Amino acid sequence: MCDSLTKDFQICEELGRGRFGVVYRCFSTISGDSFACKSIDKRLLSDPTDRECIDKEPKILQLLNRSPNIIQIHGLYENDDYVHIVMDLCESPDLFDRISNHAGVFSEQEACSVFSQLMLSISYCHRLGIAHRDIKPDNVLFDSRGRLKLADFGSAEWFGMNEGGMMTGVVGTPYYVAPEILSGREYNEKVDIWSAGVILYIMLAGVPPFYGETPAETFEAVLRGNLRFPTKIFRSVSPEAKDLLRKMLSKDVSRRLSAEQVLRHPWVVSGGETRSMEDLA
């Protein structure tokens, strides 16, 4: 551990581990407040792309530090072997666990409560020219007060710095990745809208909209983008919710809603309460 880190924070038990490092619980030696410390072993970063992601994530988090729905960074420490990032502590089950453990599907009001916070975080990122590029339930955390915190910006990119706001590179996760990423074309920040639409579909249906027996088959289903609403599953889902899903999961990016447009959609504005389809006109 860095001497400056152990001066500012007391490192406690391990909370989890990933490909390049370990997450610990820690608390401030000054305030006593609890945080999470993500310790990354730089000696495991043999790929230059991995090193770039590790360097980029704390810079992006520092830029996004004014959003209540994005994980906040509270300290950054580095020595020859490690990078230590002190962040918000989110011990409540993440959205993946909530979906997995949920008895049946979410009600529209429950889904909208989570979804609207997620879209607020995405909208904030996009206003600052940042695309997350790996929106998935595993990266949607919750703090002790139940507030949503979007996390893991290792795949994020500054699209505002690119000519025309376009990006390249295959990133993302099966089920949630947008078709234009898989096609190898340039793409814009609306890849995050597609991913958020997949999450909303899963919360309302209990199954993903595009899937296969293998990752390759799942990618093929995503590329086809044949959005369906099986009657048995969607019988009780409102026309407003399905309207929003169609406009988020549009293969035609020019017709896909922006984050701000999603937040203004009647289903989101109403908090998931069903309303007359005439209001959608």
Side-chain angles (χ1 to χ4, degrees), residues 6-276:
T6 54
K7 177 182 176 182
D8 295 339
F9 295 93
Q10 176 68 48
I11 306 301
C12 304
E13 75 273 19
E14 178 181 321
L15 297 176
R17 59 178 56 229
R19 183 179 169 195
F20 299 120
V22 183
V23 178
Y24 300 94
R25 182 198 306 274
C26 67
F27 65 86
S28 169
T29 56
I30 298 174
S31 69
D33 293 336
S34 295
F35 300 93
C37 178
K38 183 177 181 180
S39 295
I40 300 160
D41 190 341
K42 294 192 291 186
R43 293 166 296 185
L44 300 177
L45 305 175
S46 56
D47 188 330
T49 303
D50 293 333
R51 177 69 219 204
E52 181 183 353
C53 290
I54 297 305
D55 289 339
K56 187 186 301 180
E57 183 176 17
K59 294 176 183 177
I60 287 177
L61 286 174
Q62 287 172 329
L63 183 62
L64 298 172
N65 66 355
R66 293 186 180 276
S67 170
N69 293 120
I70 294 175
I71 204 83
Q72 301 294 295
I73 186 169
H74 299 276
L76 179 63
Y77 304 85
E78 186 171 6
N79 59 20
D80 290 341
D81 296 328
Y82 283 89
V83 175
H84 306 283
I85 308 173
V86 178
M87 302 177 291
D88 290 336
L89 177 65
C90 295
E91 292 188 281
S92 298
D94 62 28
L95 185 55
F96 180 86
D97 289 334
R98 292 189 180 201
I99 291 172
S100 300
N101 298 331
H102 207 276
V105 298
F106 288 68
S107 72
E108 292 193 34
Q109 291 79 17
E110 290 172 327
C112 191
S113 175
V114 173
F115 177 75
S116 59
Q117 293 182 77
L118 174 60
M119 289 310 307
L120 283 170
S121 68
I122 293 173
S123 175
Y124 187 79
C125 291
H126 290 183
R127 287 201 305 273
L128 293 181
I130 294 169
H132 186 283
R133 301 200 301 175
D134 196 18
I135 302 288
K136 59 182 178 180
D138 317 54
N139 291 335
V140 178
L141 311 182
F142 297 89
D143 65 18
S144 58
R145 293 177 291 177
R147 177 184 290 168
L148 182 148
K149 298 279 188 176
L150 182 59
D152 197 347
F153 283 76
S155 297
E157 184 61 272
W158 282 289
F159 66 85
M161 298 176 64
N162 302 330
E163 185 175 352
M166 303 301 286
M167 296 167 279
T168 58
V170 178
V171 294
T173 302
Y175 297 124
Y176 307 99
V177 64
E180 58 267 29
I181 290 181
L182 296 177
S183 70
R185 305 193 308 266
E186 288 187 330
Y187 52 86
N188 63 22
E189 74 278 8
K190 287 187 179 180
V191 296
D192 290 343
I193 306 302
W194 177 280
S195 302
V198 173
I199 290 176
L200 178 58
Y201 188 106
I202 291 172
M203 286 195 288
L204 295 175
V207 294
F210 315 107
Y211 59 91
E213 295 298 322
T214 65
E217 290 181 3
T218 298
F219 289 148
E220 290 175 5
V222 170
L223 282 167
R224 287 194 299 270
N226 187 11
L227 181 63
R228 295 175 178 173
F229 299 112
T231 302
K232 185 177 180 180
I233 296 175
F234 278 87
R235 184 181 296 112
S236 61
V237 176
S238 70
E240 295 90 337
K242 288 185 278 191
D243 179 79
L244 176 57
L245 286 169
R246 288 189 190 94
K247 291 173 178 176
M248 296 182 72
L249 296 172
S250 169
K251 278 190 68 179
D252 184 345
V253 179
S254 67
R255 300 181 64 181
R256 192 181 305 163
L257 297 183
S258 68
E260 291 294 330
Q261 288 172 327
V262 171
L263 288 169
R264 293 197 299 268
H265 189 277
W267 186 81
V268 177
V269 173
S270 71
E273 298 286 347
T274 58
R275 299 181 355 158
S276 168

